[in-house]
Amino acid sequence: MNRDFKVKIESEEEFFADLIVQAEKIDQGIIPENTVERESFPDLETFYRYCTPKRLQLLQELHKVGCISINALAKHLHRHYKNVFQDVKTLETAGLVEKTDKGQYCVPWDEFTATVRLVS
């Protein structure tokens, strides 16, 4: 299943303003064709704290191997368990990795789009 995932750099006010617009459309009976999952970060610095180059590489590998335990992922990546655990948990907190009912972790989308607004 291909899921659409967007990452936005936006203020809390912008996030809630967009949410209100979406709710108003739904109230008018305008239902989006496809659900778009999204995660917002307040600024680029916060995004980069979560999405370091090493963590982005981990996301790519996790997507390739599919649902897997942190221990198996650490072995696959030839990295220490503690570091992979910390990276996976950070990415899970950021909404970029999901945990299955069986306790495995996965990246359920093929790509995510990041948007940075340059003008307020």
Side-chain angles (χ1 to χ4, degrees):
M1 180 177 162
N2 228 353
R3 291 164 54 186
D4 193 7
F5 190 80
K6 300 206 183 293
V7 173
K8 291 183 87 175
I9 310 301
E10 62 185 347
S11 69
E12 194 173 286
E13 294 81 20
E14 291 169 320
F15 172 80
F16 284 112
D18 187 49
L19 204 57
I20 289 169
V21 168
Q22 296 302 320
E24 288 171 349
K25 286 181 181 177
I26 291 171
D27 286 345
Q28 296 169 4
I30 303 169
I31 308 297
E33 228 175 88
N34 297 318
T35 301
V36 177
E37 297 174 72
R38 73 184 237 197
E39 189 64 44
S40 293
F41 295 91
D43 50 50
L44 276 173
E45 291 78 21
T46 303
F47 173 76
Y48 288 137
R49 269 199 313 270
Y50 283 95
C51 295
T52 63
K54 197 80 162 174
R55 288 181 183 147
L56 288 173
Q57 180 185 29
L58 184 147
L59 277 175
Q60 289 174 321
E61 281 302 309
L62 184 53
H63 182 268
K64 282 183 201 174
V65 298
C67 294
I68 191 171
S69 70
I70 293 176
N71 190 43
L73 181 60
K75 287 179 183 176
H76 174 78
L77 295 172
H78 306 290
R79 291 181 55 199
H80 292 284
Y81 173 85
K82 178 183 164 189
N83 297 333
V84 174
F85 177 86
Q86 183 178 15
D87 285 347
V88 168
K89 288 301 189 175
T90 298
L91 291 167
E92 181 184 22
T93 299
L96 301 172
V97 167
E98 290 185 355
K99 186 175 183 180
T100 68
D101 294 340
K102 295 180 181 180
Q104 296 181 323
Y105 293 86
C106 62
V107 178
W109 37 81
D110 293 333
E111 65 182 50
F112 67 82
T113 305
T115 303
V116 179
R117 184 180 198 138
L118 299 176
V119 179
S120 298

